[in-house]
Amino acid sequence: MAQATIGDSEFDRDTAVALRAPGVYDAELSSGWTVIRAVNGGYLLAMMGRALADTLPHPHPFTITAHYLTASRPGPAVIRTEQVRAGRSMSTGQASLVQFDEDGAEVERVRVMAAYGDHGTLPDDVRTSAKPPALPPYEHCLGSGDAPQDSAPVPGSNAILDRLDVRLDPETVGWALGAPSGRGEMRGWFALADRRDADPFSLLLAVDAFPPTAFELGLSGWVPTVELTAHVRARPAPGPLRVAITTRNLAGGFLEEDAEIWDSQDRLVAQSRQLARALAD
């Protein structure tokens, strides 16, 4: 497969927004990025991130928090943005994504608050104790096509899998064989299926693109995100990304997922935490 460049990728086309009026953008939520029947939260975050980048004087999301109010469906949507504050090095904005029900009533799906800056202006100094996850080579990890016929399927229809090249560490796929580890870990390689290089907006997709860690805890139902905060730390170098996601606590029907994303130069380029609801099968 030829590598898509930034701008001509399916991801870019499907996250594009069209300015209708100041602070108002028309969008089309593609059915190609659905999990079961709902549109993936990371895809929505990337789309809203683009609208905010067009609104604010700075180009890149540094931190972005989304509250998912109701499940989004494929089809038309409107994103409304507002600049809250603008400084020399950072600006802050908010956004809301709405759709319309059968009666024409407006339904808010997602509300976002974000701070933007310019990754190109950040200093090179790094002082960290964080380390990239130890993963088997890409070719030794498992994609969706490697699952045995008698394995436990991911619940529902997941069109998003056709648009991603996610390869999981074999140590974190016990759930697919009916033998979850109970550790609440998911690790692997991430790339878009058309091999488009990652950028700050595709990182917003990557933090929410892996199977839920709840599967390795022995759950198999839908795990919708309630709130997700992503920190984009740097523009990633070309090449596949390494992703490590952990859950330490599932209680009261809710769990957290902490994600780290590392690029091909061993840089921690994004982090996230989300609160998700573990629904019964």
Side-chain angles (χ1 to χ4, degrees), residues 128-279:
T128 181
S129 61
K131 296 181 180 179
L135 289 177
Y138 178 86
E139 60 272 14
H140 294 163
C141 289
L142 304 176
S144 58
D146 297 318
Q149 291 185 352
D150 58 350
S151 66
V154 176
S157 173
N158 295 279
I160 191 174
L161 296 179
D162 295 333
R163 278 138 197 93
L164 304 177
D165 188 1
V166 169
R167 302 296 180 95
L168 297 177
D169 184 335
E171 291 189 0
T172 67
V173 297
W175 56 274
L177 304 174
S181 68
R183 292 191 296 268
E185 299 176 351
M186 205 68 67
R187 294 186 300 275
W189 298 90
F190 171 91
L192 291 168
D194 59 14
R195 312 307 294 176
R196 169 202 187 274
D197 283 330
D199 71 351
F201 298 103
S202 65
L203 291 177
L204 299 180
L205 168 68
V207 298
D208 193 42
F210 272 46
T213 53
F215 291 174
E216 274 294 87
L217 292 173
L219 283 70
S220 59
W222 187 33
V223 188
T225 303
V226 177
E227 178 269 341
L228 185 154
T229 294
H231 296 164
V232 180
R233 309 299 300 270
R235 187 179 184 91
L241 302 168
R242 285 162 290 174
V243 180
I245 308 174
T246 58
T247 290
R248 298 178 58 199
N249 191 54
L250 187 159
F254 291 86
L255 58 93
E256 88 288 345
E257 285 194 347
D258 291 317
E260 291 184 350
I261 301 183
W262 298 77
D263 73 1
S264 58
Q265 294 184 357
D266 288 344
R267 296 182 306 162
L268 181 62
V269 292
Q271 299 164 275
S272 72
R273 165 167 280 200
Q274 66 171 278
L275 181 70
R277 190 175 182 185
L279 298 180

Side-chain angles (χ1 to χ4, degrees), residues 4-13 50 196-197 199:
T5 60
I6 292 176
D8 66 1
S9 164
E10 183 178 23
F11 171 76
D12 297 307
R13 295 192 298 271
R50 289 195 185 283
R196 169 202 187 274
D197 283 330
D199 71 351

